[in-house]
Amino acid sequence: MNELDSLVQQAQALFTQCGSAAELENAKAQFLGKSGRISELMKGLSQLDLEAKKTQGAVINAAKQSIEHLLNARRQALADAELNRQLQAEKLDVSLPSGLRTQGGLHPVSLSLERIELIFASMGFSVAQGPEIETDWFNFTALNTPQDHPARSMHDTFYVEGGHLLRTHTSPMQIRHAMAHVQQHQQSIAAGKGMPEIRVIAPGRTYRVDSDATHSPMFHQCEGLWIGENISFKDLKVVFTDFCKTFFENEDLVLRFRPSFFPFTEPSAEIDIQFPSGPLAGRWLEVAGSGQVHPNVVRNMGLDPEHYIGFAFGMGPDRLTMLRYGVNDLRLFFDGDIRFLSQFR
Ligand code: PHE
């Protein structure tokens, strides 16, 4: 092997050993720099005669080109490797868990509402939703509560612009739902063929100017309404007793229907429950207002009170949730403290 071939081989070996662009540039100087091996060889040409200069010059040049070629190839290889390293380092694995993921869950009151809906659905009740901003007519007047009626002061009402108010109870849904139902079955009713029974619950948010451990300005209610041709207070007792026993998973729960007053029901009753055992045993706990729907209200629904009769109730899902889980301050439900809420997951 001649001197030049071996020079090219040396260059190749050295370039291959270079692990970085900087090292490679240093190595290059040894061969192609001003005082590098190729330049030295070129200088040596001056001692040769013309013919020899030509042939030897061509050979040196070929070697120089080979070395340049090897250098460029190595440069490219190093650049490729660097790019790959960067791509590897910056690779984003979207399937990797973030480590910050926490398991969410339903709010305890939502859990109760879900439960309430399931239990009443099993008794043939459908679920209706309605507006939280109400008119005076739906919230009071249609529910047999005239302008100057003392019952209006039982509710501390939030009034909003335009004469509207935040509903103080879910009872306006009795009227809204019944009116829609009557509308839907208008032809059949007009033809004397009657209508399917109204059997509905209406859960949702309600508002009163009130705040302490057992009252929040925003709270939940769930209305219930069953109207038919022969629905009585007896049915109310059966339905609500069944509901409470199922909700609290306690067959020995005792209920009391305590005479009360609501303008939209006659007779009216407050419903209290008592647990036979446990920390609340022996105490009567109020869970709902109820009664036989007043004839004036049946009329406002668009029905003839001589033909249609039924019962209504309004219960407090917040209260039921407190009793079910043993929570003693209603405000905890609405503070949004994750330490409290995560206990119900
Ligand atoms: N709306 C009543 C309240 O908020 C409860 C109720 C509903 C009473 C239906 C009778 C019938 O206190």
Side-chain angles (χ1 to χ4, degrees):
M1 184 187 296
N2 67 38
E3 194 194 352
L4 280 163
D5 285 343
S6 118
L7 188 65
V8 172
Q9 274 195 358
Q10 284 171 38
Q12 182 168 30
L14 193 62
F15 292 168
T16 310
Q17 280 172 30
C18 292
S20 72
E23 274 180 63
L24 186 62
E25 294 317 304
N26 281 335
K28 169 200 160 187
Q30 286 185 39
F31 298 92
L32 303 172
K34 246 191 245 158
S35 47
R37 305 280 294 277
I38 294 289
S39 300
E40 293 300 321
L41 289 168
M42 288 293 196
K43 281 175 202 157
L45 287 179
S46 56
Q47 282 130 39
L48 302 180
D49 63 30
L50 194 64
E51 208 46 39
K53 259 185 191 155
K54 265 192 187 164
T55 46
Q56 188 59 12
V59 174
I60 297 174
N61 242 334
K64 184 184 175 196
Q65 275 171 20
S66 294
I67 293 174
E68 279 170 350
H69 186 78
L70 289 168
L71 176 73
N72 284 331
R74 185 64 190 149
R75 272 187 183 142
Q76 191 59 50
L78 284 175
D80 286 352
E82 172 63 12
L83 184 65
N84 274 330
R85 196 193 56 74
Q86 272 180 21
L87 286 175
Q88 207 61 38
E90 290 164 17
K91 196 168 83 176
L92 196 64
D93 184 352
V94 292
S95 71
L96 218 60
S98 71
L100 282 174
R101 229 167 18 170
T102 52
Q103 177 78 52
L106 285 180
H107 189 279
V109 174
S110 300
L111 291 173
S112 287
L113 289 172
E114 225 174 42
R115 232 175 131 66
I116 291 168
E117 287 177 19
L118 265 171
I119 296 168
F120 277 101
S122 77
M123 295 192 262
F125 283 75
S126 57
V127 179
Q129 305 260 339
E132 291 167 27
I133 299 176
E134 263 300 2
T135 63
D136 185 85
W137 191 79
F138 277 113
N139 197 79
F140 291 119
T141 311
L143 290 163
N144 197 36
T145 319
Q147 203 58 53
D148 52 0
H149 197 286
R152 287 201 185 209
S153 58
M154 281 161 58
H155 295 182
D156 293 301
T157 311
F158 283 111
Y159 286 94
V160 297
E161 280 171 23
H164 287 69
L165 49 82
L166 299 185
R167 65 178 180 188
T168 56
H169 52 177
T170 44
S171 298
M173 280 307 293
Q174 289 186 32
I175 308 292
R176 284 187 180 275
H177 180 78
M179 283 174 79
H181 184 90
V182 169
Q183 172 91 26
Q184 196 189 339
H185 300 283
Q186 215 168 27
Q187 281 183 338
S188 167
I189 295 169
K193 287 190 246 162
M195 61 164 198
E197 289 182 344
I198 297 172
R199 207 185 305 175
V200 71
I201 58 166
R205 281 184 280 268
T206 46
Y207 304 85
R208 287 184 205 177
V209 185
D210 218 347
S211 184
D212 59 42
T214 52
H215 297 90
S216 149
M218 188 286 299
F219 59 105
H220 294 84
Q221 277 199 349
C222 181
E223 200 75 8
L225 178 70
W226 189 341
I227 301 274
E229 292 186 14
N230 196 16
I231 303 301
S232 71
F233 209 95
K234 172 197 75 190
D235 299 298
L236 165 66
K237 285 185 119 174
V238 171
V239 165
F240 210 84
T241 303
D242 228 40
F243 163 72
C244 288
K245 290 183 172 183
T246 312
F247 184 88
F248 288 106
E249 296 168 276
N250 193 331
E251 273 304 309
D252 304 320
L253 203 73
V254 187
L255 277 82
R256 173 172 83 175
F257 290 75
R258 176 165 44 87
S260 184
F261 170 79
F262 299 101
F264 33 93
T265 45
E266 180 60 39
S268 303
E270 215 90 55
I271 308 175
D272 303 333
I273 61 169
Q274 194 177 106
F275 291 95
S277 58
L280 295 168
R283 280 171 55 190
W284 285 112
L285 309 156
E286 186 184 318
V287 290
S290 68
Q292 184 102 13
V293 180
H294 194 287
N296 287 347
V297 175
V298 174
R299 206 169 289 119
N300 287 334
M301 291 170 174
L303 292 169
D304 177 3
E306 295 295 326
H307 269 86
Y308 292 99
I309 188 165
F311 66 78
F313 59 82
M315 62 179 157
D318 306 327
R319 192 80 207 286
L320 295 182
T321 312
M322 289 172 77
L323 295 174
R324 178 148 191 255
Y325 294 110
V327 175
N328 54 19
D329 192 331
L330 174 67
R331 290 167 295 194
L332 285 168
F333 287 139
F334 309 123
D335 282 345
D337 188 332
I338 204 78
R339 291 168 303 179
F340 173 74
L341 295 174
S342 60
Q343 298 175 71
F344 302 91
R345 282 207 296 256

